[in-house]
């Protein structure tokens, strides 16, 4: 009986989840049920470790970035940054066949890098871009596929919520795998590694989307007609620059500070949250000088901190230190005043309360799932499930490559029924230590960064694949009634093929995911 409990536990959990039971309570409830059965069967249990696990989750420095990134994304969504970007890009590239579809891909890429929330991005693009594309005479399938695919880029382009939670799980799995092979001082795998590893594949995937738009427009101009025939004016260029520059600066500040090693993901996420409030205040009619002043004063403090040691006990020892400390205090005061003006603006506009409420709901859901998944994986290991998975994967034909392929197929299939959080917190902790412990033909081990990026792209593909892709359901909920469900499904298929092509490229050229982390972090 004991040997069958681990497999039965997985089966019962999957059936409950597919039946629509709440994820977090399903995971913890099934875990406690099978812990009781395991106790009756005489299995050694370690439920006493549950409180310390929960405490570790709530104090995890990596996971603290999650609510900040979520708030950043929700604030940008509520402040209608996407609408401004779409209008600006439409005027900029809409004069050529396929220009509007290309602008949707570009805006989806920018939103992915600034929000990282797939459902919000798909819904926003579906409400704004899809009616405009249909009105312009776009083929319904091409328009629907473009919107759905562009919205899923938030899964892979950093900073992404998927990469944050996946990074935490991959790091723990890699550490466990290294300890098993006798390496008691393994190198750490950080969220910054995953951000760097996913950047090139994510941008390459967006480029494939854009190329498909251009080629389709060239081969079938009637499917993607141009928006206008008037020449591009200097005013169009200025408006496009005004719409593109603020979110681009925010992306560079957040992602650039992580990749450059100037800030941890949590610190960068806090900068992103502050920047989102400044952008929202600017969009709601606040004076542009306020956001410029906040940016200049904040940058000045950071610059001073990199040049001079601002620790008060050391700075007061020299005249230059005193001057630098006084200047930093003054600049910080200016930033607080400018930022307070933006907070008042978004508060009076009704966005702040709504964004805080929505971000709290999403964060509570994520952390409740994390706790439930932690209890589930603990009981699963106690019942011998980890050894069972390791034995099964090591017996797959093809060695490490065959095992990775088998796991990818399972994750792809589960992506039809389960959300990415459920897969990341349930499947990844179970299978990843075994995968990272299987030696390659040359005796080396799989790269955890490459494996994480492959998983992220795979999850993104299942997000878009008919008939159960979550992105398709999001789009169906906001699409006009004139767009049939069959149009959404058929329109998504070429983009699914492009994502599978991206997986093949990563499979044969893993350096696309590993060279940038190695270059940045050595």
């Amino acid at each position: 009986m004991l040997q069958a409990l681990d497999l039965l536990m997985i089966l019962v959990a999957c059936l409950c989840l597919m039946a629509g039971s709440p994820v977090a309570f399903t995971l913890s409830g099934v875990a406690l049920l099978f812990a009781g059965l395991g106790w009756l069967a005489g299995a050694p249990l370690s439920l006493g470790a549950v409180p310390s696990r929960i405490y570790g989750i709530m104090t995890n420095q990596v996971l603290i970035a999650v609510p900040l990134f979520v708030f950043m994304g929700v604030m940008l969504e509520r402040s209608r940054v996407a609408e401004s970007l779409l209008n600006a890009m439409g005027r900029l590239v809409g004069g050529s066949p396929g220009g509007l579809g290309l602008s949707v891909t570009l805006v989806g890429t920018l939103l992915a890098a600034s929000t990282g929330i797939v459902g919000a991005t798909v819904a926003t693009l579906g409400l704004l871009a899809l009616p405009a594309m249909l009105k312009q005479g776009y083929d319904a399938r091409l328009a629907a596929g473009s919107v759905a695919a562009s919205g899923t880029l938030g899964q892979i382009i950093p900073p992404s919520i998927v990469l944050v939670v996946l990074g935490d799980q991959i790091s723990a799995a890699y550490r466990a795998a290294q300890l098993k092979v006798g390496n008691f001082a393994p190198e750490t795998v950080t969220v910054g590694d995953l951000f760097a590893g996913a950047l090139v594949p994510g941008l390459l995937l967006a480029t494939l989307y854009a190329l498909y738009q251009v080629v389709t427009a060239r081969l079938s101009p009637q499917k993607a007609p141009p928006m206008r025939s008037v020449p591009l004016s200097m005013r169009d260029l200025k408006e496009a620059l005004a719409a593109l520059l603020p979110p681009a600066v925010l992306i560079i500040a957040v992602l650039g500070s992580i990749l450059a090693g100037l800030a941890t993901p949590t610190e960068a996420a806090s900068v992103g949250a502050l920047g989102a409030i400044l952008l929202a205040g600017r969009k709601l009619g606040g004076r542009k000088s306020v956001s410029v002043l906040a940016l200049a004063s904040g940058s000045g403090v950071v610059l001073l901190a990199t040049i001079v040691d601002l620790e008060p006990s050391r700075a007061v020892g020299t005249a230059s230190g005193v001057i630098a400390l006084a200047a930093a205090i003054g600049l910080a005061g200016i930033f607080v005043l400018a930022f307070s003006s933006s907070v008042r603006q978004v508060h009076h506009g009704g966005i702040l309360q709504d964004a805080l409420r929505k971000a709290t709901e999403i964060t509570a859901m994520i952390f409740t799932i994390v706790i439930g998944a932690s209890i589930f994986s603990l009981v699963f290991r106690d019942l011998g499930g980890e050894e069972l998975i390791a034995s099964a994967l090591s017996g797959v034909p093809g060695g490490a490559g065959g095992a990775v392929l088998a796991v990818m197929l399972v994750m792809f299939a589960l992506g039809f029924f389960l959300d990415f959080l459920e897969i990341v917190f349930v499947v990844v902790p179970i299978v990843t230590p075994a995968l990272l412990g299987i030696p390659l033909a040359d005796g080396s081990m799989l790269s955890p960064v490459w494996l994480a990026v492959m998983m992220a792209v795979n999850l993104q593909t299942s997000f878009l694949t008919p008939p159960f892709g979550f992105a398709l359901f999001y789009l169906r909920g906001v699409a006009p009634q004139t767009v049939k469900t069959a149009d959404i499904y058929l329109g998504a298929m070429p983009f699914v093929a492009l994502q599978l092509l991206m997986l093949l490229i990563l499979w044969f050229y893993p350096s696309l995911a590993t060279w940038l982390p190695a270059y940045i972090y050595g």
Side-chain angles (χ1 to χ4, degrees):
M1 177 182 176
L2 185 58
Q3 287 77 13
L5 283 180
D6 44 13
L7 288 178
L8 189 59
M9 181 179 176
I10 291 287
L11 179 62
V12 171
C14 289
L15 289 176
C16 291
L17 290 173
M18 291 177 187
S21 301
V23 178
F25 303 117
T26 295
L27 295 176
S28 55
V30 170
L32 294 176
L33 171 63
F34 277 84
L37 294 176
W39 178 74
L40 292 175
L45 299 174
S46 54
L47 291 179
V50 170
S52 61
R53 281 200 166 205
I54 295 175
Y55 179 78
I57 290 169
M58 302 311 295
T59 57
N60 189 322
Q61 292 295 319
V62 173
L63 293 180
I64 292 175
V66 171
L68 295 170
F69 276 130
V70 170
F71 176 79
M72 171 183 164
V74 173
M75 180 61 72
L76 290 176
E77 177 203 351
R78 295 293 193 269
S79 60
R80 304 175 69 180
V81 171
E83 183 175 357
S84 300
L85 282 172
L86 192 60
N87 291 335
M89 294 306 301
R91 288 193 296 269
L92 195 62
V93 299
S96 58
L100 186 55
L102 184 61
S103 68
V104 169
T105 301
L106 294 175
V107 171
T109 303
L110 288 172
L111 288 179
S114 56
T115 64
I117 303 175
V118 172
T121 305
V122 172
T124 301
L125 291 178
L127 289 170
L128 297 176
L130 189 55
M133 297 175 80
L134 296 175
K135 183 179 179 181
Q136 193 61 34
Y138 265 66
D139 178 73
R141 295 178 181 177
L142 177 62
S146 302
V147 169
S150 300
T152 60
L153 288 171
Q155 289 274 92
I156 184 66
I157 295 181
S160 162
I161 302 298
V162 178
L163 295 176
V164 173
V165 296
L166 188 58
D168 180 65
Q169 296 298 313
I170 288 287
S171 176
Y174 179 68
R175 188 164 53 248
Q178 289 295 298
L179 291 175
K180 278 192 173 183
V181 298
N183 182 7
F184 296 102
E187 295 180 2
T188 57
V189 179
T190 66
V191 174
D193 292 326
L194 264 62
F195 280 5
L199 184 60
V200 173
L203 294 178
L204 181 57
L205 184 58
T207 303
L208 291 176
Y209 288 174
L211 288 176
Y212 173 73
Q213 297 278 356
V214 172
V215 171
T216 302
R218 294 296 180 186
L219 296 178
S220 304
Q222 73 280 3
K223 291 185 176 181
M227 284 182 62
R228 52 175 172 73
S229 57
V230 296
L232 192 66
S233 66
M234 185 59 66
R235 180 180 178 182
D236 291 332
L237 291 174
K238 290 181 179 179
E239 290 180 352
L241 183 62
L244 286 171
L245 190 58
V249 170
L250 181 61
I251 293 167
I252 293 172
V254 174
L255 187 56
S257 61
I258 297 173
L259 298 182
L262 299 177
T264 65
T266 302
E267 293 165 346
S270 64
V271 172
L274 295 178
I277 293 176
L278 291 173
L279 283 184
R282 189 170 180 264
K283 287 291 296 179
L284 291 175
R287 288 178 291 182
K288 296 180 180 180
S289 58
V290 172
S291 57
V292 173
L293 190 62
L295 177 63
S297 57
S299 301
V301 173
V302 174
L303 183 61
L304 278 174
T306 57
I307 297 174
V308 182
D309 187 354
L310 295 179
E311 171 63 33
S313 60
R314 290 188 289 268
V316 296
T318 61
S320 59
V322 171
I323 294 173
L325 184 60
I329 294 173
L331 289 173
I334 294 173
F335 175 83
V336 170
L337 292 175
F339 181 73
S340 300
S341 176
S342 294
V343 171
R344 285 194 299 270
Q345 195 74 38
V346 295
H347 174 68
H348 292 318
I351 290 181
L352 183 61
Q353 304 92 312
D354 188 29
L356 285 171
R357 185 179 300 109
K358 185 66 176 177
T360 302
E361 291 175 359
I362 296 174
T363 302
M365 179 267 294
I366 291 175
F367 275 85
T368 307
I369 292 176
V370 174
I371 293 171
S374 179
I375 299 173
F376 185 90
S377 62
L378 179 66
V379 175
F380 184 75
R381 288 191 177 96
D382 287 342
L383 295 178
E386 191 173 21
E387 289 79 9
L388 177 69
I389 295 296
S391 176
L393 290 178
S394 61
V396 173
V404 171
L405 181 60
V407 169
M408 289 295 164
L409 291 174
V410 170
M411 291 180 68
F412 181 79
L414 289 176
F416 292 155
F417 310 103
L418 306 180
D419 191 54
F420 73 91
L421 286 172
E422 301 155 26
I423 297 175
V424 168
F425 289 124
V426 176
V427 179
V428 173
I430 293 174
V431 302
T432 306
L435 286 177
L436 295 177
I438 301 175
L440 299 174
D442 59 359
S444 62
M445 300 296 182
L446 288 172
S447 165
V449 174
W450 173 80
L451 183 61
V453 174
M454 287 285 289
M455 287 180 171
V457 177
N458 188 19
L459 289 174
Q460 180 186 358
T461 305
S462 62
F463 232 79
L464 194 61
T465 304
F468 303 112
F470 281 85
L472 307 181
F473 292 151
Y474 293 142
L475 183 59
R476 177 67 277 175
V478 299
Q481 293 300 319
T482 55
V483 179
K484 301 177 181 179
T485 302
D487 293 330
I488 297 176
Y489 286 179
L490 293 173
M493 292 308 296
F495 294 94
V496 172
L498 292 175
Q499 290 182 327
L500 293 176
L501 175 61
M502 187 67 243
L503 277 172
L504 283 175
I505 293 173
L506 276 173
W507 183 276
F508 290 106
Y509 299 97
S511 59
L512 287 173
T514 58
W515 78 268
L516 188 57
Y519 177 77
I520 295 176
Y521 303 114

